[in-house]
């Protein structure tokens, strides 16, 4: 009986349930998920914050640590891909390895995390667009008006076939990466900054200086989105090969880009003064550095591409959220209509409308409650998302270990046991760091480490409870 139930759960977890159409290549999926990570937005935002509040000149090594742990996670994740032939991503993997109840709970946790981050980034886009317009002599309009314009564009693009979004994201991503690469090259070929090249990335004293936990926190936040490659399985060419390749390429590209560019940013400003500069001007550090090395034109380009980078990030997370709604509708977890592809576009049109609706409500609530867009709306929702994504990564690692131990024993030991175990250990460490430092991130130090983080964990536990109660009624 136990074997029969396990087989049924595995079958449910891997049952095909979509008719989305697409012909995404490895490159297209890489563009989508790397755009979600918002490379320019990270170099202009979390990197200065990680330098100022974390471990200063040693901060780039935080990206090395994060990349190694996430690569270990990806070894087991991609090894299991061939056994989970649907686009359910996290919840499908957790359902296959740990049972449909936990899988269903994970689906709602993932939706909460991705929708929260999608909505939160509007809190960065609105003020950023407002400042860009004002810098060119335009009117001083409220942030939510620009957020509304962005919202409409995302809703329209999300409704249509993924290939249109993929092409647009490719253009925006190439542009934002190009300007940072040019800055990196100029600084490197000029021999570094006023003090030459920073040695903090290889100095143990610098790496453990200040608050390295804060550095790790901002590094992990910078990677959110890379794990979503499996969401696009139904729209990929040869998914058994495309998804693993896209996952590794995305992760390595993101990690290398962040490590190199953060090191160059520190070198360009001088290792001895970078912390004070980041503390005083975290939001403009990248732009001011670019102006020094590439002139005023370079500074204007960075300011423009910073806004387009945030737009690309929002569109990417919208595509991910829509596909979670679609898969849940296709499996009758949510109304079945959500799991119906558009007859002409082959897109998750109805699921996209729901994702837009939820995001729109969150933005409207922020406006009605008069939340400050960056320090409250974005940081609160970003904090919620960080807990959710790392929790899901850890649960997926446990599911991989359980799946290969009980349902497909044997096989390569490194891919199915050692690497996932090491990745899990690292992820649990990251989760502890995030929970301990989350109050600082959301500006609620008085509540202690159990405030926002534990609140989200309680919501996650409730979602799992709902999943367990309905596990016999739905297909995961």
């Amino acid at each position: 009986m136990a074997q029969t139930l396990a087989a049924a759960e595995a079958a449910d977890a891997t049952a095909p349930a979509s008719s989305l159409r697409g012909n995404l290549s490895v490159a297209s999926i890489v563009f989508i998920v790397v755009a979600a990570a918002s490379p320019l937005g990270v170099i202009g935002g979390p990197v200065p914050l990680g330098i100022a509040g974390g471990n200063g000149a040693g901060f780039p090594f935080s990206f090395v640590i994060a990349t190694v742990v996430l690569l270990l996670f990806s070894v087991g994740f991609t090894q299991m891909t061939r056994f989970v032939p649907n686009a359910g991503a996290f919840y499908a993997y957790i359902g296959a390895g740990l049972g449909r109840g936990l899988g269903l709970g994970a689906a709602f946790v993932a939706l909460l995390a991705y929708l929260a981050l999608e909505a939160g980034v509007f809190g960065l886009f609105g003020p950023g667009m407002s400042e860009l317009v004002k810098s060119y002599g335009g009117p001083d309009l409220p942030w939510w008006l620009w957020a509304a314009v962005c919202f409409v564009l995302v809703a329209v693009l999300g409704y249509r076939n993924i290939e249109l979004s993929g092409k647009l994201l490719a253009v925006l991503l190439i542009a934002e990466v190009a300007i940072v690469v040019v800055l990196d090259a100029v600084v490197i070929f000029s021999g570094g900054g006023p003090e030459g090249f920073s040695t903090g990335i290889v100095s143990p004293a610098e790496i453990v200086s200040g608050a390295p936990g804060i550095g790790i926190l901002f590094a992990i936040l910078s990677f959110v989105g890379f794990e979503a490659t499996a969401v696009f399985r139904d729209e990929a060419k040869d998914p058994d090969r495309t998804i693993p390749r896209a996952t590794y390429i995305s992760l390595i590209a993101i990690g290398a880009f962040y490590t190199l560019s953060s090191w160059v940013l520190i070198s360009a400003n001088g290792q001895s003064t970078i912390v004070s500069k980041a503390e005083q001007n975290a939001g403009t550090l990248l732009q001011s550095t670019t102006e020094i090395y590439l002139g005023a034109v370079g500074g204007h380009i960075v300011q423009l591409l910073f806004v387009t980078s945030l737009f690309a990030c929002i569109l990417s997370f919208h595509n991910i959220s829509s596909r979670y709604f679609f898969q849940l509708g296709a499996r009758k977890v949510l109304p079945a209509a959500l799991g119906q592809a558009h007859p002409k576009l082959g897109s998750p049109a109805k699921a996209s409308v729901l994702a837009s609706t939820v995001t729109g409500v969150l933005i409207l609530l922020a406006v009605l409650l008069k939340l400050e867009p960056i320090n409250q709306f974005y940081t609160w929702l970003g904090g919620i998302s960080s807990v959710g994504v790392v929790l899901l990564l850890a649960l997926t690692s446990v599911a991989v270990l359980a799946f290969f131990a009980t349902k497909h024993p044997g096989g390569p030991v490194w891919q199915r046991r050692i690497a996932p175990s090491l990745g899990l250990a690292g992820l649990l460490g990251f989760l502890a760091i995030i929970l301990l430092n989350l109050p600082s991130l959301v500006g609620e130090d008085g509540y202690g480490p159990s405030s926002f983080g534990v609140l989200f964990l309680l919501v996650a536990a409730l979602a799992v409870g709902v999943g367990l109660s309905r596990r016999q009624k739905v297909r995961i």
Side-chain angles (χ1 to χ4, degrees):
M1 179 64 72
Q3 292 179 342
T4 302
L5 179 58
E9 289 178 341
D12 286 345
T14 59
S18 72
S19 56
L20 296 178
R21 295 196 304 272
N23 197 32
L24 296 176
S25 63
V26 171
S28 297
I29 296 176
V30 168
F31 281 130
I32 293 171
V33 298
V34 174
S38 186
L40 182 61
V42 166
I43 302 303
V47 166
L49 293 172
I51 293 170
N55 44 346
F59 175 68
F61 192 74
S62 300
F63 286 124
V64 177
I65 297 173
T67 302
V68 170
V69 171
L70 294 177
L71 277 173
L72 290 170
F73 161 82
S74 297
V75 170
F77 179 69
T78 55
Q79 179 73 195
M80 192 171 168
T81 296
R82 71 190 69 174
F83 299 100
V84 187
N86 66 51
F90 280 143
Y91 84 86
Y93 288 74
I94 294 171
L98 300 177
R100 68 180 73 180
L102 280 175
L104 178 56
F108 288 110
V109 173
L111 262 176
L112 175 60
Y114 287 125
L115 287 169
L117 194 56
E118 178 189 346
V121 177
F122 279 98
L124 291 178
F125 177 88
M129 188 66 187
S130 179
E131 289 299 319
L132 177 64
V133 172
K134 286 192 295 182
S135 70
Y136 286 96
D140 184 6
L141 300 175
W143 73 271
W144 53 264
L145 185 60
W146 295 114
V149 173
C150 178
F151 172 82
V152 172
L153 289 174
V154 170
V156 171
L157 289 169
Y159 187 88
R160 301 186 63 81
N161 187 276
I162 186 65
E163 291 182 30
L164 176 60
S165 293
K167 292 175 182 177
L168 177 60
L169 290 172
V171 173
L172 296 178
L173 180 62
I174 290 172
E176 66 178 271
V177 170
I179 187 64
V180 179
V181 169
V182 170
L183 174 62
D184 291 348
V186 170
V187 174
I188 290 173
F189 287 111
S190 64
E195 302 171 10
F197 294 114
S198 170
T199 59
I201 190 173
V202 294
S203 169
E206 292 287 349
I207 292 170
V208 300
S209 66
I214 294 290
I216 289 290
L217 169 59
F218 280 107
I220 288 298
L221 284 175
S222 303
F223 280 90
V224 173
F226 91 91
E227 73 291 338
T229 50
V231 174
F232 301 100
R233 181 182 180 90
D234 289 346
E235 297 150 285
K237 293 188 295 187
D238 191 9
D240 286 341
R241 299 180 63 184
T242 299
I243 299 304
R245 289 182 180 180
T247 301
Y248 283 121
I249 292 173
S250 299
L251 183 54
I252 294 172
I254 292 170
F257 181 83
Y258 289 163
T259 303
L260 174 64
S261 298
S262 60
W263 171 71
V264 168
L265 187 65
I266 293 170
S267 299
N269 286 275
Q271 181 171 314
S272 65
T273 60
I274 185 60
V275 174
S276 61
K277 289 181 180 179
E279 289 175 342
Q280 295 169 10
N281 302 292
T284 59
L285 182 63
L286 176 61
Q287 183 180 350
S288 61
T289 303
T290 305
E291 290 175 351
I292 293 172
Y293 289 89
L294 300 182
V297 173
H300 285 300
I301 292 174
V302 163
Q303 187 179 21
L304 172 62
L305 292 179
F306 179 74
V307 174
T308 61
S309 173
L310 295 175
F311 170 78
C313 177
I314 292 170
L315 179 57
S316 294
F317 279 114
H318 178 84
N319 285 329
I320 295 170
S321 301
S322 298
R323 278 148 187 81
Y324 264 92
F325 275 129
F326 181 89
Q327 294 297 331
L328 290 174
R331 285 161 178 75
K332 308 300 191 300
V333 179
L334 294 177
L338 294 173
Q340 297 173 358
H342 192 284
K344 294 183 179 179
L345 300 174
S347 65
K350 295 178 181 178
S352 177
V353 170
L354 179 57
S356 296
T357 301
V358 174
T359 304
V361 169
L362 290 173
I363 297 171
L364 181 60
L365 286 174
V367 175
L368 294 177
L369 295 174
K370 298 181 179 179
L371 298 181
E372 201 281 326
I374 298 176
N375 295 324
Q376 293 181 322
F377 187 49
Y378 168 70
T379 55
W380 291 356
L381 294 183
I384 289 173
S385 180
S386 67
V387 176
V389 170
V390 175
L391 176 62
L392 289 167
L393 287 170
L395 281 174
T396 302
S397 294
V398 175
V400 169
L401 291 168
F403 183 82
F404 288 122
T406 61
K407 298 176 182 178
H408 282 275
V413 175
W414 167 255
Q415 289 94 327
R416 298 186 178 186
R417 287 169 179 75
I418 298 177
S421 297
L422 293 174
L424 175 61
L427 289 167
L428 291 176
F430 289 162
L431 183 61
I433 289 172
I434 290 175
L435 291 175
L436 289 171
N437 292 282
L438 194 58
S440 298
L441 178 66
V442 301
E444 300 290 342
D445 296 286
Y447 291 98
S450 62
S451 56
F452 271 82
V454 172
L455 177 61
F456 183 90
L457 292 178
L458 289 174
V459 174
L462 178 62
V464 172
V466 172
L468 290 172
S469 68
R470 299 189 61 196
R471 66 185 183 277
Q472 301 298 334
K473 302 178 181 179
V474 299
R475 294 185 298 112
I476 296 299

